[in-house]
Amino acid sequence: MSYWLFKTEPDVFGIADLKKRPNQTEHWDGVRNYQARNFLRDEIKQGDKVFIYHSSCDNVGIAGVAEVVREGYVDPSQFDPESKYYDPKSSMDTPRWYMVDVKFIRQFKRVLSLKEIKANPALAEMPLVQKGNRLSVMPVKAAEWQVLLQMAGD
DNA sequence: GCCAACGTTGGC
DNA sequence: GCCAACGTTGGC
């Protein structure tokens, strides 16, 4: 089993929204970055655990945990001209973009802030804290996962 | 809202 | 294949 971190903007879709979904499950669609796509398509497996990270908001950090319940499959929003994720250059034959389904596990009592994450030397290798990194789907090492869970404190 | 840093596009 | 221009990300 592997660990991951998914970024999301809580104003659009946050962990509270995931919790409220039927079955507490949702498609993680709209990822339009090739490196992140490769993780979604090739490496993220059912049963993997995921930190849900809130970005572009007034409480930036890790908000909780989810689990992958369906492995990579084609993201249909790329074919929908009405979708903001529409990609006119993608085709049904050779789709560009993939997604997984994630299920809510729990929401931390408080968001584990980016500031705290940056302050911990054990987490210095995470892409998340490296300057200019914009990956929205990234791997988390097992040791980092444990450290982060302890810091979250519940 | 600002702006640095990044990934993508497209002309050549 | 190069690289300037552009649009986006995301912390602050």
Side-chain angles (χ1 to χ4, degrees):
Chain A
M1 186 187 62
S2 303
Y3 301 102
W4 306 92
L5 182 147
F6 290 3
K7 289 182 187 172
T8 187
E9 297 185 21
D11 295 341
V12 179
F13 184 85
I15 193 149
D17 300 299
L18 180 60
K19 188 177 182 179
K20 282 185 285 192
R21 280 288 188 270
N23 267 341
Q24 300 189 319
T25 299
E26 185 57 288
H27 331 288
W28 206 263
D29 63 358
V31 174
R32 296 292 181 267
N33 166 282
Y34 287 104
Q35 198 179 351
R37 185 282 308 272
N38 291 344
F39 290 136
L40 290 168
R41 186 187 59 189
D42 305 331
E43 299 194 38
I44 298 177
K45 300 302 178 188
Q46 189 170 332
D48 284 1
K49 297 294 196 300
V50 179
F51 280 134
I52 303 298
Y53 175 90
H54 285 173
S55 68
S56 299
C57 60
D58 54 12
N59 199 5
V60 170
I62 297 174
V65 180
E67 176 178 353
V68 177
V69 293
R70 183 173 175 187
E71 293 178 13
Y73 61 109
V74 173
D75 178 350
S77 66
Q78 66 196 298
F79 306 124
D80 176 8
E82 302 297 312
S83 170
K84 70 170 178 171
Y85 301 128
Y86 178 58
D87 182 352
K89 293 179 180 168
S90 188
S91 73
M92 297 275 191
D93 292 341
T94 54
R96 282 187 175 183
W97 307 115
Y98 285 74
M99 63 184 185
V100 300
D101 290 356
V102 297
K103 182 181 174 81
F104 174 86
I105 291 184
R106 74 176 178 280
Q107 181 169 9
F108 295 151
K109 292 190 180 67
R110 62 178 191 95
V111 171
L112 175 56
S113 73
L114 178 60
K115 190 177 174 185
E116 293 170 86
I117 296 168
K118 281 181 171 171
N120 190 329
L123 305 173
E125 287 183 16
M126 292 186 72
L128 184 68
V129 300
Q130 275 153 33
K131 187 174 181 180
N133 193 286
R134 291 162 40 174
L135 254 193
S136 60
V137 170
M138 71 182 75
V140 176
K141 293 175 185 168
E144 293 165 344
W145 180 272
Q146 297 304 332
V147 168
L148 288 160
L149 270 190
Q150 281 192 358
M151 291 171 73
D154 69 332

